[in-house]
């Protein structure tokens, strides 16, 4: 077998055209988001085969991910790229002093995803087909038009554009200081779109338990697909209690930064899990979360990073959802086909994306290690 001969790491700063705000900004806990830090990794073996992966960070953490990736990358040199599980463990031990969650595994994720991309390319298969796809397309919904900084008129305009473009559902941010404002905004969108359009809301962890119960009760008549992160991401018991108390499904998990944290959430009991492959440590760890969710008969709705998650969602037995964000479009030369409410797999091998010239122009640092 060929051995890994070169690893290239790049830090890319993706600017957002408009600063965006969710409930964390309105509560004063975070500032509006103006950019996303993206970590690229390319792994090349002695035979010239290569794989591409990425991770990301919002608001803070990007330089830390890049620095940690540069530190642990030499552990891959000389290794068989097919031994992905063993290499994940090796990378984790290379950075063991910073633990096995959070920034540490988010840096590993870029390498892990690159190794899976290489494996699928070697097999001549899209990643979903290598994993064992259950479908060739996945239901998708748009979030990027529903942030709290946008007035209702803009949200309705963006929602109409998204639905006309073939996207299947719309998600709105909630968590205003006044809950009545949330109810007014969501009611206006539901009335405009009608009952047949899938509609979700996302509080981004900003309610306490009494407020969450009141809001879940108020939203019950609106036929929502789910209510997302009504409580702190680590309040597993609180989310489970809401899942038991209300008919509207409760979704959470995007902020969890390891497979172990997801196992605790699944054990507590929740309706919909929302793992994020770059945040939990890559595809190797995501597959562990996916298996646990399947055993518990839970719905799956991966967070962000659709270029990765469309493949993973396609391999999940129960019909999932994938989140549509167009923010990463400038980074890649290829884009996923969206039609009839669904995101369609391409026939391209691996992840099916290559890095664009624009991404290279936004690159702020590059590091390479060779055998």
């Amino acid at each position: 077998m060929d051995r890994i001969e070169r690893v290239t790491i790049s830090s890319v700063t993706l600017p957002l055209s408009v600063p965006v705000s969710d409930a964390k900004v309105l509560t004063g806990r975070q500032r509006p988001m103006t950019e996303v830090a993206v970590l690229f990794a390319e792994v090349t073996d002695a035979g010239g085969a290569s794989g591409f992966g990425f991770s990301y960070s919002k608001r803070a953490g990007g330089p830390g991910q890049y620095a940690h990736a540069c530190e642990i990358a030499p552990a891959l040199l000389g290794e068989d790229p097919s031994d992905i599980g063993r290499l994940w463990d090796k990378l984790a031990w290379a950075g063991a002093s910073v633990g096995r969650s959070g920034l540490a595994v988010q840096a590993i994720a870029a390498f892990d995803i690159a190794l899976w991309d290489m494996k699928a390319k070697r097999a001549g298969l899209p990643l979903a087909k290598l994993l064992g796809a259950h479908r060739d397309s996945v239901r998708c919904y748009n979030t990027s038009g529903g942030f709290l900084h946008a007035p209702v008129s803009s949200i309705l305009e963006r929602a109409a554009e998204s639905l006309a473009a073939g996207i299947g559902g719309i998600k709105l941010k909630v968590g205003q200081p006044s809950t009545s404002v949330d109810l007014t905004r969501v009611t206006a969108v539901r009335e405009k779109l009608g009952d047949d359009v899938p509609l979700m809301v996302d509080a981004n962890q900003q309610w306490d338990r009494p407020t969450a119960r009141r809001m879940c009760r108020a939203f019950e008549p609106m036929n929502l697909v789910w209510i997302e992160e009504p409580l702190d991401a680590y309040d597993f018991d609180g989310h489970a209690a809401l899942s038991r108390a209300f008919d509207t499904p409760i979704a959470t998990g995007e902020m969890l930064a390891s497979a172990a944290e997801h196992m605790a959430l699944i054990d507590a009991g929740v309706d919909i899990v929302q793992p994020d492959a770059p945040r939990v440590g890559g595809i190797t760890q995501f597959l562990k979360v996916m298996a646990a969710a399947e055993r518990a008969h839970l719905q799956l709705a991966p967070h962000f990073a659709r270029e990765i998650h469309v493949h993973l969602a396609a391999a999940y037995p129960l019909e999932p959802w994938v989140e549509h964000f167009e923010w990463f479009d400038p980074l890649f030369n290829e884009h996923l086909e969206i039609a009839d409410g669904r995101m369609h797999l391409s026939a391209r091998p691996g992840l099916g994306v290559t890095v664009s010239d624009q991404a290279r122009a936004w690159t702020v640092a590059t590091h390479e290690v060779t055998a």
Side-chain angles (χ1 to χ4, degrees):
M1 298 295 293
D2 284 324
R3 302 289 167 171
I4 295 172
E5 188 173 72
R6 183 171 67 254
V7 180
T8 305
I9 308 135
S10 302
S11 177
V12 179
T13 300
L14 168 69
L16 301 181
S17 58
V18 177
V20 297
S21 297
D22 58 25
K24 299 185 293 293
V25 174
L26 272 63
T27 57
R29 289 172 168 165
Q30 291 186 340
R31 58 180 172 79
M33 190 177 355
T34 59
E35 62 189 31
V36 180
V38 187
L39 175 67
F40 285 171
E42 185 174 8
V43 178
T44 306
D45 70 15
S50 67
F52 167 78
F54 67 89
S55 191
Y56 71 92
S57 183
K58 298 177 180 178
R59 293 186 176 89
Q65 286 183 6
Y66 176 75
H68 191 64
C70 291
E71 286 183 310
I72 63 176
L76 292 172
L77 296 177
E79 293 286 0
D80 183 342
S82 295
D83 296 344
I84 301 176
R86 184 177 62 80
L87 292 182
W88 197 97
D89 288 344
K90 187 177 184 184
L91 290 169
W93 278 109
S97 63
V98 291
R100 296 190 181 185
S101 66
L103 184 151
V105 301
Q106 290 160 12
I108 294 174
F111 300 127
D112 182 80
I113 293 164
L115 292 171
W116 279 101
D117 180 57
M118 180 192 288
K119 189 169 226 177
K121 285 176 178 174
R122 281 179 156 185
L125 295 170
L127 176 61
K129 298 294 186 181
L130 179 75
L131 296 174
H134 285 263
R135 58 193 63 83
D136 292 328
S137 66
V138 183
R139 293 181 297 183
C140 63
Y141 67 95
N142 180 262
T143 296
S144 56
F147 280 88
L148 293 182
H149 66 275
V152 172
S153 58
S154 173
I155 291 173
L156 290 172
E157 181 180 347
R158 288 290 305 276
E161 292 172 354
S162 295
L163 296 172
I167 294 171
I170 303 296
K171 188 170 80 177
L172 307 179
K173 297 293 186 176
V174 293
Q176 299 275 355
S178 169
T179 56
S180 64
V181 174
D182 280 332
L183 292 171
T184 298
R185 285 163 63 93
V186 177
T187 298
V189 174
R190 171 51 85 202
E191 290 178 348
K192 181 66 175 179
L193 298 183
D195 289 337
D196 293 336
V197 173
L199 184 65
M200 306 85 162
V201 299
D202 182 359
N204 287 110
Q205 310 180 71
Q206 297 309 293
W207 292 332
D208 56 23
R209 287 188 176 189
T211 303
R213 286 194 296 271
R214 286 195 296 269
M215 294 303 287
C216 287
R217 187 174 297 110
F219 281 134
E220 283 279 68
M222 295 192 188
N223 190 32
L224 300 178
V225 178
W226 68 66
I227 298 170
E228 184 172 334
E229 281 194 329
L231 301 169
D232 183 276
Y234 290 89
D235 186 357
F236 302 155
D237 291 339
H239 281 105
L242 293 174
S243 295
R244 292 190 297 269
F246 297 100
D247 292 335
T248 304
I250 303 300
T252 189
E254 69 176 63
M255 295 303 298
L256 303 185
S258 70
E261 292 165 4
H262 275 280
M263 301 309 172
L265 172 66
I266 291 168
D267 288 344
V270 70
D271 298 305
I272 301 170
V273 288
Q274 299 181 296
D276 181 315
R279 283 183 174 167
V280 302
I283 292 167
T284 298
Q285 300 302 306
F286 189 102
L287 293 176
K288 295 178 181 179
V289 176
M290 201 162 74
E294 180 188 353
R295 284 195 300 272
H297 306 286
L298 302 181
Q299 294 185 60
L300 184 78
H303 167 256
F304 205 57
R306 59 181 180 170
E307 295 81 7
I308 301 167
H309 290 139
V310 67
H311 292 277
L312 298 172
Y316 191 65
L318 306 177
E319 180 71 36
W321 285 90
V322 169
E323 189 168 25
H324 176 277
F325 265 95
E326 64 273 13
W327 292 357
F328 279 5
D329 281 358
L331 299 180
F332 305 117
N333 295 312
E334 302 81 10
H335 302 112
L336 293 160
E337 177 190 350
I338 295 173
D340 301 321
R342 304 181 71 85
M343 195 175 292
H344 295 258
L345 291 171
S346 77
R348 296 184 294 270
L351 293 178
V353 296
T354 55
V355 177
S356 69
D357 290 340
Q358 180 61 80
R360 300 190 189 285
W362 285 334
T363 298
V364 296
T366 301
H367 179 72
E368 183 174 282
V369 294
T370 56

